Every structure is written in structure tokens, then in C-alpha cells.
Amino acid sequence: MRLQSALKLYFPQALQWAGTDLASPMACDWLLKWPTLAAAQRARPQTIRSFFYARKCRSATHIERVIAALPTAKPLTQDVAVLAVQPLTVQMLAKQLQLLGKSIAAYEQQIQILFRQHPDAFLFESLPGAGKTLAPRLLCAFGSDRARYPSAQNMQTYAGVAPVIERSGKSCWTHWRWNCPKFLRQTFHEYAKVSILYSTWARAYYDQQKQRGKRHNAAIRSLAFKWIRIIHRCWQTRTLYDESLYLQTLAQRGSPLCALIAEPA
């Protein structure tokens, strides 16, 4: 990151004091207010406290650590050329990040407005853990045209979640699909990962795959494969997802997942 690189040249302390996320509003505000160590050292302790409090940072440990470190902090360099140019670069980048943050917020607001207006929004809101971020992405993944994906396999293959099986003579091997929309695959991968925290059977299925020797990402892809089948069914029939109903179905079918779900945590 260019901003991080610039700070490392003359003001590395800001990487800890301004916050770990340099793209955050608080970090940008800090760098615009105190772009150099000398500028920060001129600030009174109460000014530092007020700065953090105004930005909802109430970590007394962090605030007092910054205040205690300021008087004895040593500049990394006294090079006039560096100190004349790099603070300007830092402030320029901080302003750009502030503008970018506002633009992203505007996009997110518009996404929520359009999502709420879509007739299928309620379907994707019912998915455990989808939330404001993944529910719109999943809706966009499936779209409104039910004829485009007549079966779950169509989506699994197109999204790159379904593995590729190749055969040659007596040999047979399986690998993941390289040629696919990467963001679409990432959407299902991210949702499957999040669902582990909110869905009982999803957690059990993930644990089952891990017990069978699969690595984390492979287990998540397997879970995404199952979720696509479930979401596709809800999407085609315009039916809300019901976790309790799905658990009942698993029990009726005698699924091995039921034993894992019944195990004490």
C-alpha cells in the first residue's frame, strides 16, 4: 500500500497510533491533522484524547499508550528532502481515501435501495448469515430469470464451485474449475464460510469434511456446493429458507450430519 510505504519512510509510529486500518476515517483524519511526528508532538494530551473520543475510539489503553509514547518518540529521519515531500504525499493519499470512502458508502446505500425494491429480496434475506453484504450479492448471482439456471448444477458449474473430473485411459483425476467468473465463485465461497457461524447443519457439514481430511478451502467449497442446491431450490420455488425444516428433512433421510449436530459442543 502506497500510504503505508510513505509512512515507513519518515513516520512509522503513525502505523500504530492512527489505527491498523489506514483506509479508515480515523486514520485518514489523523494523518491530515498530524502528518508528521513533530506535528503530533505539539498536540496536547487532551487534544489527543478528544480526537479519539470524537471518532468513537474509547480504548483507554490505546489512547494512553499513544499519549505516553509521543514525548519520547524519535523521528526516523531528519532528511530535509524526505520531510518536505512525504508528508504531502501522505496527506494527498489520505484525502483520496476519504473521498473513496464516501463514494463506497454511496454505492452501498444505493445497493441497499435497489435490493429492497427487488421482488426476490426476501428470499436471500432469509439465508442465515447473508446480511446486508452477501444477500444482494447472492441475489445478483442468481438474477431474476429462472430459465437461465434450470438446475442447481448449471449454477454450480458456471460459478466454478463444481469440480472438474477428467479421465484418460484408466486414469481419473479431479481438480477445481479454472475458467469461471471469479467474483461469482468468491461470493459463494464467502457465504459458505459465513454460514458456518449461523447454520447448525452448515457447521456440522464443514466439520465432517474436515474430519475426512479436506483442507479448509476445499471444505468450504464443498459446503458452497450444497448451499447452491438449497438456494437454487428456494429461488425456483420462491420459498423462504427455513433452517428447522431443513434439519427435519436431514433427520427423515437419516443423514450422518444429524449425529454430528447432536454431539455436544
Side-chain angles (χ1 to χ4, degrees), residues 24-247:
S24 68
M26 185 177 75
C28 291
D29 288 345
W30 173 287
L31 296 174
L32 289 172
K33 190 176 184 67
W34 301 302
T36 65
L37 175 60
Q41 288 177 323
R42 287 194 293 269
R44 294 179 299 175
Q46 188 54 43
T47 303
I48 300 294
R49 292 190 184 93
S50 298
F51 173 86
F52 284 112
Y53 291 160
R55 289 153 185 82
K56 299 180 180 180
C57 177
R58 300 289 178 176
S59 174
T61 302
H62 176 72
I63 296 171
E64 295 307 319
R65 185 185 299 122
V66 172
I67 292 173
L70 272 168
T72 57
K74 302 297 182 183
L76 180 64
T77 180
Q78 298 288 358
D79 190 317
V80 176
V82 172
L83 295 176
V85 175
Q86 293 306 322
L88 295 177
T89 301
V90 164
Q91 289 188 309
M92 175 194 69
L93 294 173
K95 289 177 182 178
Q96 290 178 352
L97 285 172
Q98 281 187 332
L99 180 59
L100 179 61
K102 292 178 181 178
S103 298
I104 291 174
Y107 272 108
E108 290 177 343
Q109 183 180 18
Q110 186 64 15
I111 287 171
Q112 290 304 315
I113 292 173
L114 295 175
F115 176 69
R116 294 292 180 186
Q117 294 174 350
H118 198 283
D120 289 333
F122 73 101
L123 296 176
F124 297 91
E125 285 180 322
S126 69
L127 298 174
K132 293 182 178 180
T133 300
L134 288 170
R137 284 173 61 178
L138 290 168
L139 187 152
C140 289
F142 281 90
S144 302
D145 184 6
R146 263 70 176 177
R148 184 178 184 186
Y149 304 111
S151 71
Q153 185 179 6
N154 297 131
M155 174 60 84
Q156 290 164 336
T157 303
Y158 177 68
V161 175
V164 176
I165 300 175
E166 294 195 28
R167 293 181 175 85
S168 178
K170 295 182 179 180
S171 300
C172 178
W173 64 96
T174 303
H175 61 84
W176 83 333
R177 195 174 300 272
W178 294 100
N179 188 16
C180 69
K182 302 301 188 293
F183 186 72
L184 182 61
R185 177 167 61 193
Q186 184 66 19
T187 295
F188 287 115
H189 191 280
E190 288 181 20
Y191 175 66
K193 182 179 179 180
V194 168
S195 72
I196 293 173
L197 303 175
Y198 298 90
S199 171
T200 305
W201 75 263
R203 162 55 70 178
Y205 183 82
Y206 172 80
D207 291 340
Q208 180 193 67
Q209 297 302 302
K210 292 285 287 183
Q211 290 172 8
R212 292 177 178 177
K214 287 189 177 181
R215 295 185 178 182
H216 171 73
N217 285 335
I220 292 296
R221 282 197 300 274
S222 295
L223 178 57
F225 186 89
K226 286 187 69 68
W227 266 120
I228 290 176
R229 290 171 56 189
I230 295 169
I231 299 172
H232 181 271
R233 177 72 173 180
C234 294
W235 177 64
Q236 284 287 3
T237 60
R238 292 181 169 84
T239 305
L240 288 172
Y241 172 78
D242 188 331
E243 178 89 356
S244 60
L245 181 60
Y246 188 71
L247 291 175

